[in-house]
Amino acid sequence: MKLSLKRSSRSVSRIPLLFQIIGLFVIWLLYRTFFTMPEWFDEVIAKAAVFGLPALLYARSIKNGSEKLGLSSKRFWSGMYMGLFVGGVYGFVGVLRALTSGVHVEPALLFTSSGFWYQFFLAMMTAWLESLFFFGFLMNAVQEEYRLPEAVA
């Protein structure tokens, strides 16, 4: 299979993709450097603006965009279950590793803590917005722009 880095004739926008990506990272870098906002604002509002908005604009500009980004019911739940499964495997392996190393694993009553649900919400928003940007926008735009297979993109 021969890979080609020729650009497709259909461009997502008038600004080249590389400049869009660099621009978004510069915006995020400047925001994190010059502004000190509460954690909830950074993880929910700022990331939604810098990472989520470009991904949603990209989805609106292409055919079947919401399906490509995993926002349709067709791909959303399978991705959600796969993410939970992989996270569960990592947690299970971590506990097994700790037990085989002789580390005492203390069960924690995390779910009864009010701080847990706050941190859990922030972690879910961060993971979702960053995945939407990197796997929804970035990977799909590179794949479409240069006509690359998914694994290469």
Side-chain angles (χ1 to χ4, degrees):
M1 169 188 252
K2 185 179 176 184
L3 296 177
S4 172
L5 289 180
K6 292 180 183 175
R7 298 178 82 182
S8 68
S9 59
R10 191 181 89 119
S11 181
V12 176
S13 79
R14 293 179 187 259
I15 302 171
L17 179 63
L18 183 62
F19 291 131
Q20 291 178 32
I21 295 166
I22 291 170
L24 289 170
F25 283 117
V26 167
I27 289 170
W28 186 248
L29 176 72
L30 292 172
Y31 170 77
R32 295 295 285 196
T33 302
F34 295 113
F35 295 98
T36 304
M37 302 297 280
E39 183 182 22
W40 67 266
F41 186 89
D42 287 345
E43 301 303 327
V44 178
I45 307 297
K47 282 190 179 176
V50 176
F51 294 136
L53 189 60
L56 294 176
L57 291 174
Y58 171 75
R60 289 185 51 150
S61 71
I62 62 170
K63 184 178 180 183
N64 297 327
S66 61
E67 187 174 319
K68 276 191 168 187
L69 265 65
L71 299 175
S72 69
S73 59
K74 180 180 176 183
R75 294 178 69 184
F76 180 80
W77 290 110
S78 62
M80 180 70 71
Y81 292 137
M82 181 58 77
L84 289 172
F85 172 75
V86 169
V89 168
Y90 274 111
F92 181 72
V93 169
V95 168
L96 281 180
R97 172 75 173 106
L99 291 173
T100 58
S101 299
V103 175
H104 178 71
V105 178
E106 184 79 31
L109 301 174
L110 292 175
F111 302 120
T112 60
S113 168
S114 60
F116 170 79
W117 292 109
Y118 172 74
Q119 292 297 323
F120 181 79
F121 172 74
L122 291 180
M124 290 294 107
M125 289 302 296
T126 299
W128 187 70
L129 288 168
E130 289 179 1
S131 293
L132 184 67
F133 178 76
F134 288 105
F135 299 117
F137 168 62
L138 194 59
M139 188 182 80
N140 282 311
V142 167
Q143 184 179 3
E144 184 176 309
E145 185 78 14
Y146 297 105
R147 298 197 183 272
L148 296 172
E150 185 174 334
V152 175

